[in-house]
Amino acid sequence: MSGEFHYNIELYPEDSKKLLLLELEVPEGIKEIIIKATLEPEYLSHEESKRLIKEAIKTYISQGFDPLDIKQVPNDILEKIIRGFSPLKNVVNIRVLDAEGNFRGTGDQRFTKGIPIKIGVCDSTVGCVSGEIKAGIWKLILEIKQILKKCVLNIVVYLHREEITKVKDIILSYNPVVREPYDKSGWVKGDVHLHSYHSDGELSIEELIKFSIKRGLDFIFLTDHNKISGFHTIEWEFYPIYGGIEFTTFWGHFLGLGIKEYIPWDLANPEVGIRKLSERVRSQGGVFCVAHPYTISAPVCPGCRCELYLDYNFVDAMEVWTGSFEMRRFEITEALKKWRELLKNGYRITALGGSDMHKIEDIKEDVPLVYAYVEDLSEESILKAIREGRVYITTGPQVEFYINGHSIGENVDFKEDLILKYSCEKESELKIIYNGDEYIKIPGTKKGAFHLKLKDPGYVYLEFWEGKKLIAFTNPIYLA
């Protein structure tokens, strides 16, 4: 053993949404770094949690197309929801950078629970990066997301000259799932928001691919929280899986789709907004997307709801539909409202949907799929389709939408004689949305044509509903 370092840090509510830097001098010849931590107390009691959760629920259900006053929720149902979120907890994570500033890992669900995190020359725990441990000053960045009551963070760091520590969740060699190349063009379906056990998902990447094939998906993006190291473990794979990060900031979550290299999440902050983070994503040829902007807020899900000012010139896409519609309809319909407004103000921002899958049970019948119109299944072609808005979102039924022969994401010359044609595999109520408002509603339809008489240029898109349940919607056709 070369060294053992102890840190005992008192944390208070005013420390929330702060970064705390610890510097660790690593000498020559170190073969592994072991980090263990506990947070005491980590959890609040149910009684302490109850009032705070109720306030978060109150805000959450007051949005969308059919907002509720919390007084309208029966007490037994409200209590069940509160118990589902209880107990609330203090939330601290750790990010490790080596002597050259390279990302070497995060703690995620292991940190503060006494579960060892290992960074080794040969082996590391998932979420970390193996390789040479260079001498110099390493940075341990404490990401203090939420402190609801005073607590003490106890950290022990061990530096070993031999790689001797056996821990759970070691990164294993990647085993390709699809071993023969294949391709597809036209409308293809995928999921752009997925997590593996390299952050807080339950499945390995191989298991995630196998499950995606079972779902019938043609492509996926792996978007683990604040890291791309899991994607880098894939040496080769013919299934179309592409790199991404869910930037999990203190003030909102954002997806970087189609990126190749690590980008630190804290480039986004209240001082500079999203500009720097978006520019870094775009510099790698990626798409910058706002994720679940109206989801439930702190203290239930600290940092999950978008609280940053957004300059939409730096936004390529918005995740309008995240997860199960039945479970998350308040935030989904609030995002629909916002997206309509942005389109009306001239922003050509592509609407996306994602499962935000962490475990198999997250995939329900009303979780969205993304259909994109592509030349092939290459990353370049899929990202191009997203940027150009050649995308629709559905729980399964395939959709067609044309105006004067032009399809989703395209421009059509604005004139008086506009013929809209549509189809949806499932009979539903069609809502035609024109420049932010409901233009007309057609009940119980699967296919048809409609003559549009519009006064102004702008945009038209379609929504398909079963009662109050959204089953599909398109991106716009633009009237230029």
Side-chain angles (χ1 to χ4, degrees), residues 329-354:
R329 65 184 176 87
F330 294 101
E331 64 180 273
I332 294 165
T333 54
E334 184 68 20
L336 263 179
K337 287 165 59 178
K338 180 64 177 180
W339 180 59
R340 288 181 184 179
E341 176 191 326
L342 291 169
L343 294 172
K344 192 171 184 178
N345 289 333
Y347 293 103
R348 290 202 176 189
I349 291 172
T350 301
L352 292 177

Side-chain angles (χ1 to χ4, degrees), residues 261-315:
E261 302 299 331
Y262 170 75
I263 300 172
W265 66 262
D266 46 342
L267 289 174
N269 59 64
E271 292 182 5
V272 300
I274 59 170
R275 179 179 60 83
K276 288 184 178 180
L277 186 58
S278 173
E279 286 175 343
R280 287 284 293 274
V281 169
R282 289 173 170 181
S283 73
Q284 293 189 28
V287 164
F288 185 81
C289 174
V290 181
H292 47 65
Y294 299 104
T295 194
I296 197 161
S297 63
V300 172
C301 190
C304 295
R305 186 182 179 91
C306 188
E307 298 173 344
L308 280 178
Y309 165 74
L310 298 180
D311 182 341
Y312 286 96
N313 291 301
F314 296 100
V315 175

Side-chain angles (χ1 to χ4, degrees), residues 339-386:
W339 180 59
R340 288 181 184 179
E341 176 191 326
L342 291 169
L343 294 172
K344 192 171 184 178
N345 289 333
Y347 293 103
R348 290 202 176 189
I349 291 172
T350 301
L352 292 177
S355 68
D356 196 7
M357 175 186 159
H358 291 78
K359 56 185 183 299
I360 288 174
E361 291 76 17
D362 292 336
I363 303 302
K364 304 180 187 303
E365 289 185 355
D366 59 351
V367 162
L369 302 169
V370 168
Y371 271 82
Y373 192 81
V374 300
E375 296 175 2
D376 53 49
L377 285 173
S378 67
E379 181 181 65
E380 180 182 5
S381 187
I382 294 168
L383 292 175
K384 184 173 185 284
I386 292 173

Side-chain angles (χ1 to χ4, degrees), residues 231-250:
F231 180 73
H232 286 166
T233 66
I234 304 174
E235 294 185 8
W236 66 272
E237 170 62 68
F238 281 116
Y239 182 79
I241 177 173
Y242 300 115
I245 296 178
E246 182 173 8
F247 300 105
T248 309
T249 85
F250 294 153

Side-chain angles (χ1 to χ4, degrees), residues 11-278:
L11 297 172
Y12 298 86
E14 54 266 32
D15 295 316
S16 299
K17 297 184 179 180
K18 290 181 181 178
L19 300 175
L20 179 61
L21 174 63
L22 304 177
E23 293 189 334
L24 177 69
E25 186 171 357
V26 176
E28 294 280 357
I30 297 301
K31 295 293 190 278
E32 67 176 19
I33 298 173
I34 306 296
I35 303 171
K36 293 175 66 175
T38 57
L39 192 61
E40 300 175 356
E42 185 172 11
Y43 293 94
L44 277 65
S45 69
H46 176 66
E47 287 305 312
E48 290 173 312
S49 302
K50 189 173 180 178
R51 179 185 60 80
L52 296 172
I53 295 171
K54 189 174 180 179
E55 285 301 310
I57 294 171
K58 182 179 178 181
T59 300
Y60 183 74
I61 66 175
S62 68
Q63 58 185 355
F65 289 163
D66 297 296
L68 283 179
D69 188 303
I70 199 165
K71 294 176 183 176
Q72 297 174 266
V73 182
N75 286 333
D76 58 333
I77 294 176
L78 183 60
E79 183 62 30
K80 183 178 179 180
I81 296 170
I82 289 172
R83 288 198 173 276
F85 290 132
S86 181
L88 295 176
K89 61 180 180 177
N90 298 316
V91 183
V92 182
N93 200 356
I94 191 170
R95 184 184 352 158
V96 182
L97 305 179
D98 68 16
E100 295 182 344
N102 299 311
F103 172 85
R104 297 301 295 267
T106 59
D108 296 312
Q109 304 303 303
R110 300 161 188 83
F111 192 61
T112 72
K113 290 180 170 54
I115 302 171
I117 302 162
K118 175 181 177 178
I119 300 171
V121 172
C122 298
D123 293 323
S124 297
T125 46
V126 289
C128 297
V129 179
S130 302
E132 181 184 358
I133 297 178
K134 295 188 176 180
I137 303 299
W138 284 50
K139 293 181 179 179
L140 311 181
I141 303 171
L142 299 180
E143 301 173 349
I144 307 168
K145 185 171 285 189
Q146 171 172 278
I147 303 298
L148 297 173
K149 65 185 296 185
K150 177 189 171 183
C151 58
V152 177
L153 178 63
N154 301 293
I155 305 173
V156 185
V157 181
Y158 304 95
L159 304 180
H160 294 160
R161 293 191 178 275
E162 299 292 335
E163 196 161 349
I164 56 174
T165 307
K166 303 296 181 185
V167 295
K168 295 180 180 179
D169 297 331
I170 288 291
I171 301 170
L172 301 175
S173 297
Y174 185 81
N175 185 25
V177 176
V178 178
R179 296 173 177 268
E180 297 291 336
Y182 70 97
D183 208 351
K184 196 173 180 181
S185 61
W187 288 106
V188 297
K189 60 182 174 180
D191 196 334
V192 300
H193 191 165
L194 294 164
H195 299 278
S196 76
Y197 72 177
H198 285 269
S199 61
D200 59 346
E202 290 187 356
L203 302 184
S204 68
I205 297 174
E206 295 96 322
E207 290 170 333
L208 192 58
I209 290 174
K210 289 174 183 176
F211 185 64
S212 298
I213 293 170
K214 187 176 179 180
R215 292 175 66 195
L217 303 184
D218 299 306
F219 69 91
I220 59 174
F221 284 84
L222 179 63
T223 55
D224 278 319
H225 295 280
N226 294 336
K227 64 174 70 65
I228 199 168
S229 52
F231 180 73
H232 286 166
T233 66
I234 304 174
E235 294 185 8
W236 66 272
E237 170 62 68
F238 281 116
Y239 182 79
I241 177 173
Y242 300 115
I245 296 178
E246 182 173 8
F247 300 105
T248 309
T249 85
F250 294 153
W251 309 277
H253 291 192
F254 307 93
L255 300 176
L257 302 176
I259 60 177
K260 308 294 189 299
E261 302 299 331
Y262 170 75
I263 300 172
W265 66 262
D266 46 342
L267 289 174
N269 59 64
E271 292 182 5
V272 300
I274 59 170
R275 179 179 60 83
K276 288 184 178 180
L277 186 58
S278 173

